[in-house]
Amino acid sequence: MKFALSFFSILALIITGTLFFQYQAYSSDLEAGNGEFHYSQEIEIVYRENSLDVRQHFKNLPNQKVKIKWPKNAVDPTCFIETENSCNRLSEETTYFKKGETKAQSVSYIIPLEGGLQDKMLIQDVFATLQNGETSYSVVHISTDVKMAGQWVTGLPLIGQQQLSLVNYTMFSGDGAVRDLYWQAGNLQVQKQTPVLSIYAKQAVSNEFLKALESIQFLNDEHISIIQEQKPVAEHDDRILFLPELTTQAVEQQVILSQIKSKLAFKDAPEWLIEVVASYLVSGSIGSDKAKEMVATLKEFMSNDQERAWQEAVNNLGEGPISPTTMDELLSEVLTEKTSYFELNVAQEKGVYPLLIEDERSVYVDDVIKEDVDIIQYEGQILYNADTLLPHLGYTANEGENGYYVNSETRTFRFPKEPGFYVFNQRRYSTISEPILKIANSYYVEEAWLQRLFLVELQKSDGRIQVLTQNQE
């Protein structure tokens, strides 16, 4: 009994100590502003004298230090006194909100527009954001001089607009953050608005197109604004898209790609990589010819079990950075063999680099390691890099006018571009299989032909492959 009481007393002390240290760590995070949180915001914008006057009201702030990230071009960031306590948490240097019980704080600043508001103008990085905070809901009010005829667009649903005596007033609201503003003079109008999409165009769009939009299955419900524009803006917010033509296929593809970009953290990823990921997430064919061919190659290469494992791996891509390197690591894990499929396709500007399995063992020539020799599996064949291996065997190897030439002091080979034969010491020999293959920009020699033509012996173990020349025992 005494033992039991002592055991539970010790256990209680351990639990109490653990909770104490967890609380201390939690309190330190709050003091440092490291705690994650959600907040809502209401933003008032007035365009006057070639600038945007912005009043931003943050709501549901946590009781912790909150660092403010001002827009890069913001001028005169300061407190906006709306109520008695609307700035009581704002630091003197206006860089953060202090820890406190007040849930709402208001600030104001100016965004200068050089040359004033221009037609088809995308204004980026307009609003302040809060470090470690995620915006759950936004309301945006915009006022412009009544003489200015045009349309404002954000990524949020348009709630309404009204022409008053002195100003034109526009209101947007919806889930999530708003980052950019777009202004177009003239008669750009909302032609269709759903919980997920707003379609802006100068002219009415067909009923068939509008009806087809209802059948599209998107990845999430975050609202996106689509603007018909013959000269799309290259860099834009992922909640504002520009399309030269409004077709169901274009809308579906661009919205899905935009949603994936906002959901996943791509790093140094070419567009085709995002399209490959998208194709698996929607179980369809998305994007460029290169992306479609790469997906087809993966499907053809994999067994049913591997394809299921790959699909699951893509579905479970998390918050970490996604790059060609990380995708190769994931693919190698699924295939249980090393491949650099995605990285090699980054360098392959035209066409698609084939899916190659790489032998990770070290290559030795007569007991000397050769770092530049790689061995691959391709279409059931084991291939050695001829460009780098053959010089280690005493040959010169290079591409010429009539094929691939391999020469030593006593032996000369020509492997022509046409299949079915090769030339050795000026004599032609017919073949059923090809000794030398060109893959992308490199030449490879097939393993059996390597031994037969270049008189080497191969010794393989778990960690190395030994290439022994004829003079070695």
Side-chain angles (χ1 to χ4, degrees):
M1 185 67 177
K2 290 182 179 179
F3 172 78
L5 289 173
S6 299
F7 173 77
F8 283 112
S9 298
I10 294 171
L11 184 62
L13 288 172
I14 292 173
I15 293 173
T16 302
T18 302
L19 291 174
F20 172 77
F21 285 116
Q22 287 180 338
Y23 176 76
Q24 287 292 98
Y26 172 72
S27 298
S28 297
D29 277 346
L30 295 185
E31 291 293 340
N34 296 328
E36 296 182 352
F37 59 95
H38 288 77
Y39 66 95
S40 59
Q41 62 181 355
E42 186 167 4
I43 304 170
E44 303 170 76
I45 305 167
V46 177
Y47 173 69
R48 62 163 68 95
E49 297 179 356
N50 296 345
S51 65
L52 301 176
D53 290 2
V54 183
R55 298 172 181 174
Q56 192 164 354
H57 311 280
F58 299 102
K59 303 176 182 181
N60 301 318
L61 294 176
N63 184 9
Q64 69 177 58
K65 180 180 179 180
V66 178
K67 296 179 182 178
I68 305 170
K69 181 181 179 182
W70 296 102
K72 182 173 62 175
N73 297 327
V75 175
D76 297 331
T78 186
C79 159
F80 177 71
I81 302 176
E82 185 179 36
T83 66
E84 181 181 353
N85 296 319
S86 62
C87 298
N88 65 343
R89 292 179 57 182
L90 184 63
S91 65
E92 291 185 7
E93 62 273 28
T94 68
T95 58
Y96 64 91
F97 294 123
K98 294 175 284 189
K99 191 172 180 290
E101 297 289 343
T102 307
K103 296 289 186 182
Q105 294 286 278
S106 298
V107 297
S108 68
Y109 48 94
I110 297 171
I111 303 292
L113 301 179
E114 186 176 352
L117 200 57
Q118 306 291 323
D119 182 31
K120 298 181 181 180
M121 187 175 194
L122 181 65
I123 312 168
Q124 298 181 289
D125 187 29
V126 184
F127 306 114
T129 57
L130 304 180
Q131 183 173 299
N132 294 330
E134 184 175 339
T135 312
S136 56
Y137 197 85
S138 297
V139 178
V140 178
H141 311 268
I142 308 178
S143 299
T144 54
D145 190 284
V146 71
K147 298 176 183 178
M148 299 186 64
Q151 179 67 56
W152 287 100
V153 181
T154 70
L156 302 173
L158 175 65
I159 302 303
Q161 44 196 352
Q162 187 176 7
Q163 182 174 331
L164 304 175
S165 58
L166 297 177
V167 298
N168 289 327
Y169 167 76
T170 309
M171 177 181 176
F172 304 87
S173 71
D175 293 332
V178 56
R179 290 175 286 279
D180 299 346
L181 295 174
Y182 178 76
W183 164 262
Q184 183 166 323
N187 60 347
L188 184 71
Q189 296 179 359
V190 175
Q191 304 294 337
K192 173 74 172 180
Q193 184 158 281
T194 72
V196 180
L197 294 176
S198 291
I199 305 292
Y200 291 84
K202 287 187 175 182
Q203 298 178 346
V205 294
S206 68
N207 290 328
E208 291 78 11
F209 168 71
L210 297 177
K211 188 171 182 61
L213 290 178
E214 299 174 1
S215 63
I216 299 177
Q217 296 295 316
F218 298 114
L219 296 178
N220 58 54
D221 294 331
E222 186 174 80
H223 187 273
I224 290 178
S225 297
I226 296 177
I227 303 164
Q228 185 177 25
E229 173 53 53
Q230 293 301 316
K231 296 180 179 179
V233 179
E235 300 291 334
H236 53 77
D237 180 3
D238 54 21
R239 297 191 71 172
I240 300 177
L241 300 179
F242 299 86
L243 293 178
E245 294 185 15
L246 294 176
T247 65
T248 308
Q249 182 180 5
V251 169
E252 179 179 26
Q253 176 170 305
Q254 292 304 314
V255 170
I256 288 173
L257 289 175
S258 178
Q259 290 176 334
I260 288 175
K261 290 175 184 178
S262 64
K263 174 185 176 183
L264 300 175
F266 290 96
K267 180 182 179 182
D268 300 326
E271 190 69 15
W272 55 257
L273 175 59
I274 303 171
E275 294 167 348
V276 169
V277 173
S279 297
Y280 280 95
L281 291 180
V282 300
S283 300
S285 186
I286 295 289
S288 62
D289 290 341
K290 179 164 184 168
K292 292 175 182 177
E293 186 175 342
M294 290 182 68
V295 170
T297 298
L298 288 167
K299 289 181 180 295
E300 183 179 350
F301 188 91
M302 293 180 183
S303 66
N304 291 337
D305 288 343
Q306 287 173 335
E307 190 169 357
R308 281 192 291 270
W310 175 246
Q311 179 70 64
E312 183 178 353
V314 175
N315 288 341
N316 292 331
L317 286 171
E319 297 180 356
I322 301 170
S323 66
T325 302
T326 60
M327 291 298 289
D328 278 329
E329 292 171 354
L330 199 63
L331 182 58
S332 298
E333 185 177 338
V334 168
L335 299 178
T336 66
E337 294 180 288
K338 177 74 165 60
T339 184
S340 302
Y341 184 53
F342 292 97
E343 285 190 89
L344 289 171
N345 268 291
V346 173
Q348 188 77 5
E349 295 182 2
K350 295 182 179 179
V352 176
Y353 202 96
L355 200 166
L356 308 175
I357 298 300
E358 303 163 23
D359 196 316
E360 296 188 86
R361 288 176 287 186
S362 299
V363 178
Y364 288 77
V365 175
D366 297 335
D367 291 321
V368 178
I369 191 169
K370 303 299 180 182
E371 301 282 0
D372 58 348
V373 179
D374 58 279
I375 303 173
I376 61 171
Q377 295 178 39
Y378 177 63
E379 295 185 344
Q381 300 181 87
I382 298 175
L383 305 173
Y384 293 67
N385 190 317
D387 296 330
T388 55
L389 174 59
L390 294 181
H392 294 310
L393 302 180
Y395 295 88
T396 61
N398 52 72
E399 184 176 17
E401 182 179 353
N402 295 313
Y404 190 65
Y405 295 81
V406 180
N407 300 317
S408 70
E409 292 182 0
T410 58
R411 298 160 60 80
T412 64
F413 294 89
R414 180 173 68 87
F415 301 95
K417 298 176 182 178
E418 302 81 13
F421 73 97
Y422 69 93
V423 178
F424 170 57
N425 286 349
Q426 306 304 316
R427 184 174 177 180
R428 174 174 170 145
Y429 294 85
S430 299
T431 65
I432 297 175
S433 63
E434 295 307 309
I436 298 286
L437 287 81
K438 186 176 184 180
I439 300 175
N441 295 318
S442 298
Y443 282 89
Y444 290 83
V445 55
E446 192 273 331
E447 185 175 70
W449 282 106
L450 171 66
Q451 297 175 85
R452 183 185 309 171
L453 297 179
F454 301 105
L455 309 177
V456 299
E457 178 187 347
L458 300 178
Q459 295 179 353
K460 299 183 180 182
S461 61
D462 289 343
R464 63 190 282 172
I465 295 176
Q466 177 81 279
V467 182
L468 297 175
T469 59
Q470 193 176 45
N471 294 331
Q472 299 292 313
E473 302 202 352

